[in-house]
Amino acid sequence: MFEFQQNTLCVASTWLVNEGVISEPNLKLLVYRGQIKKVAKGGNGRRAMVAYESIPDRYKKIIRDRGIDPYASVKNIVFGDYMEWDYKAESYYSDYLLDNGKHLPEEKQREYTHQAIVFNATKFIANNVVVQKRFGGKKEMWSRMQEAVGNLPETWTHTRYKNVLSFKRAIKRYEEEGYGSIVSGKWLNSNSTLIQGEVADFILAQYCLPIKHTVPELIRIYESVREAKGWKSLSERAVNAWLEKTEQKRIWMLARDGRDEYMKNFGHTVTRKRAEWFPNAWWAIDGTKLDLVHFANNKQKMAAELKINVVFDVYSEKIIGWDIAYSENHASHFRAIKMAVNESGCRPFLFTYDKQSGHTTSKMQDLYNRLPAKGGTHYSHKVGRKSSPAEQIFNRLQQQVISKMWFSDKQGIKVKETRNKPNTDFIVEYKSALPTVDEFNKIFTALVNRWNAGKQDDWELNRNQRYNEETEHREEINIMDQLSMFWIDETKVKKYYPHGMPLTVEGKDYLYEVYDETNNVDLDFRRKYVGENLIVRYDPERLDEFVGLYELTPSGEKRFVAYAQSKRMHESIPVLMKENSKALLLQDVETRDLELKRDQEAYERLIERTGISRESLIEEQELMVKFQGHLPKELQMETDTNSFYSRY
């Protein structure tokens, strides 16, 4: 009933119908719609076959409930189907030289070539999801492959492994060291014992150089000074074996490949106790380049310029907040965290982030102080410690989800393996189909949903289900707390100019004006605050609408003054004017005249109250000149008296 065709597990259409799994009309309809994939047509003695994985889950459940494992029921597993002759391995072992200058015995050349072919097939199966299922999936494939390798014909002279552990260990070594890992110890070159003292220092120092000598190049450099120094001859195999020992490898890897690679291979790690963790116990944010190519209005018509900030719930690994922007800054962090709070409806007990400058600004630190639950905290991870769970989760998100998109540029500049590099020719060929930046929010939403619906191999529940687990540790956050939390204060006061309050966020300029309840320019506010320094408080998601203005009291407290709206912009071209736009223009233009008139009248009232005017100034100075600066006391008193009474 089940069999593999074209490396696809198939089931006979007649079996599905006869066993009552699905009715014939329904089967035909689903095949017609493309919801069930037909692999082989029936007729002339052939059976119609459909792909098992394309069958809807409700029908698969019927099959499983009857105790049938479709993959386990297929017995014709042929390991040899995946074995191909390895000419490179054959050449490697035929050219391999021993210490005495001789070649390996022919039977060993054949044995090691056979072993390489077996290992190649094993690696292919282990890395191919479809073929894995043919061997029982990830849990069963290693034991089944070990059994299949042991049952190959005796003409194959490879090693028959006694258990899965030794088999997997040999595969791992083959992946790391290549063909040389298969050569038996008794054939290995023994002159690595000559590498010590000055010889060891010379070889290691040369190999540590950032120009990254290969071992053959290293041997040539060594040979150029060997006779003069009285050193003995060394083989490539001996030098390579000596360099691969941990004691030497730690030194040259740090020098050649840098701190990141060194820490990956040798850095000590701390194991965290996770048994009692729960949803929303720990949130972590990470930001990096988004490895997706988009359409761009440039010469190449494509670019990968976007950055992504993601907030993870560490316990479940669910993405609860994210933001896409052209730069990783405080505003992008803010939007991602705001989404996380809206999604969760609660506070985390621990919030962590990296040392990126956007996190360390006073405005974000103020938000982080208000974010954690009672008794909670926040902190940044040390640079280079690799202790951020967000970074570790993000790497898997990139590899498992983001890099699967056809327009992904994979894993950035540190990628070394070909399988992790983009096919740039393919992307260039289809660049006309690249998504625009405006489409990326929808695209990343789909990727987030895919990630959240997935799980780690040893988990029973997916990330959404783990996140929704009940917990006694949860501090809700109400809507008023959310509104007050997600306003950002500018760290420095800003002047309110005659033309309004300017503000720049993420490189974009904004201009605000205070209007009264009748939607006119607020003349009373302008009378008090034009030219004054104020604190601007804003919601990064509502910058196009309004901001709050606050003044600092002598004690350093912030006192609310007014809300400022986006300043009205007026069209000067008559044909482009909208309805009522001219009236608003005239209304705003009149502001200058109204303010001038108001302040002129205020000055005139001041003159009336004090008697101090330009005319009185002229009179006083004329009298001063007339009496040469000596005004008689009686006249001075009379002048002062008249001046006083003139006020009324």
Side-chain angles (χ1 to χ4, degrees), residues 77-79 82 118-127 131-132 134-152 158-159 161 163-164 167-168 171:
I77 300 175
V78 182
F79 185 85
Y82 305 99
V118 169
F119 282 171
N120 292 341
T122 304
K123 285 175 58 180
F124 173 79
I125 295 168
N127 293 319
V131 182
Q132 278 180 14
R134 191 171 184 181
F135 284 81
K138 284 190 175 181
K139 292 184 178 180
E140 300 292 334
M141 67 177 182
W142 287 106
S143 58
R144 292 195 181 186
M145 284 194 290
Q146 184 235 336
E147 181 183 356
V149 167
N151 292 332
L152 288 173
H158 63 285
T159 302
Y161 292 93
N163 55 63
V164 174
F167 180 50
K168 291 177 72 173
I171 290 293

Side-chain angles (χ1 to χ4, degrees), residues 144-387:
R144 292 195 181 186
M145 284 194 290
Q146 184 235 336
E147 181 183 356
V149 167
N151 292 332
L152 288 173
E154 293 298 325
T155 53
W156 285 85
T157 57
H158 63 285
T159 302
R160 264 71 172 177
Y161 292 93
K162 295 180 180 180
N163 55 63
V164 174
L165 186 61
S166 60
F167 180 50
K168 291 177 72 173
R169 190 182 298 121
I171 290 293
K172 186 175 186 299
R173 187 179 172 197
Y174 178 71
E175 288 180 331
E176 293 175 350
E177 301 178 20
Y179 296 135
S181 69
I182 297 175
V183 180
S184 172
K186 71 177 184 179
W187 302 109
L188 294 178
N189 295 305
S190 60
N191 59 1
S192 59
T193 56
L194 301 174
I195 305 176
Q196 51 188 305
E198 291 183 347
V199 173
D201 289 345
F202 178 84
I203 290 175
L204 186 57
Q206 290 287 346
Y207 200 65
C208 283
L209 293 175
I211 54 177
K212 297 188 177 183
H213 290 303
T214 63
V215 173
E217 289 172 342
L218 192 59
I219 292 295
R220 285 196 291 271
I221 296 171
Y222 177 79
E223 285 295 324
S224 68
V225 300
R226 181 179 64 80
E227 290 187 3
K229 292 183 176 290
W231 293 340
K232 295 185 178 181
S233 181
L234 296 174
S235 69
E236 288 184 15
R237 178 70 189 188
V239 172
N240 189 67
W242 182 80
L243 288 170
E244 285 298 318
K245 289 183 178 180
T246 300
E247 189 175 359
Q248 284 75 246
K249 193 171 185 178
R250 298 176 70 95
I251 306 300
W252 63 252
M253 182 168 285
L254 178 60
R256 284 167 65 98
D257 302 325
R259 179 189 174 93
D260 284 352
E261 195 67 21
Y262 172 86
M263 295 302 295
K264 185 193 303 181
N265 286 270
F266 301 112
H268 179 266
T269 59
V270 175
T271 302
R272 294 188 176 95
K273 184 178 179 181
R274 298 172 177 263
E276 297 182 3
W277 287 8
F278 52 89
N280 300 305
W282 184 356
W283 292 359
I285 186 171
D286 188 30
T288 186
K289 170 183 168 293
L290 180 57
D291 294 337
L292 294 174
V293 183
H294 58 81
F295 174 82
N297 190 20
N298 56 22
K299 186 177 180 180
Q300 292 77 28
K301 298 301 180 184
M302 61 182 188
E305 302 169 319
L306 297 175
K307 307 295 188 298
I308 181 74
N309 269 292
V310 181
V311 180
F312 295 95
D313 171 62
V314 176
Y315 169 74
S316 64
E317 296 187 348
K318 178 176 178 176
I319 297 174
I320 55 176
W322 53 273
D323 180 69
I324 297 175
Y326 278 102
S327 61
E328 186 186 350
N329 54 32
H330 79 275
S332 183
H333 302 326
F334 176 93
R335 289 190 291 267
I337 296 166
K338 186 174 183 180
M339 180 187 288
V341 171
N342 291 336
E343 167 71 19
S344 66
C346 68
R347 301 174 183 268
F349 288 82
L350 174 62
F351 181 72
T352 61
Y353 42 91
D354 59 27
K355 289 286 189 181
Q356 197 270 342
S357 60
H359 294 296
T360 58
T361 60
S362 60
K363 60 190 73 174
M364 291 309 293
Q365 287 295 303
D366 181 54
L367 171 61
Y368 296 165
N369 288 334
R370 290 178 277 139
L371 178 62
K374 185 177 181 180
T377 188
H378 67 89
Y379 63 80
S380 60
H381 293 281
K382 300 291 184 183
V383 176
R385 288 284 181 87
K386 301 298 182 185
S387 57

Side-chain angles (χ1 to χ4, degrees), residues 317 392-400 451 456 463:
E317 296 187 348
Q392 299 162 24
I393 298 171
F394 204 101
N395 286 338
R396 288 189 280 115
L397 170 67
Q398 292 273 45
Q399 295 172 19
Q400 298 174 20
W451 170 262
Q456 291 196 32
R463 295 181 179 92

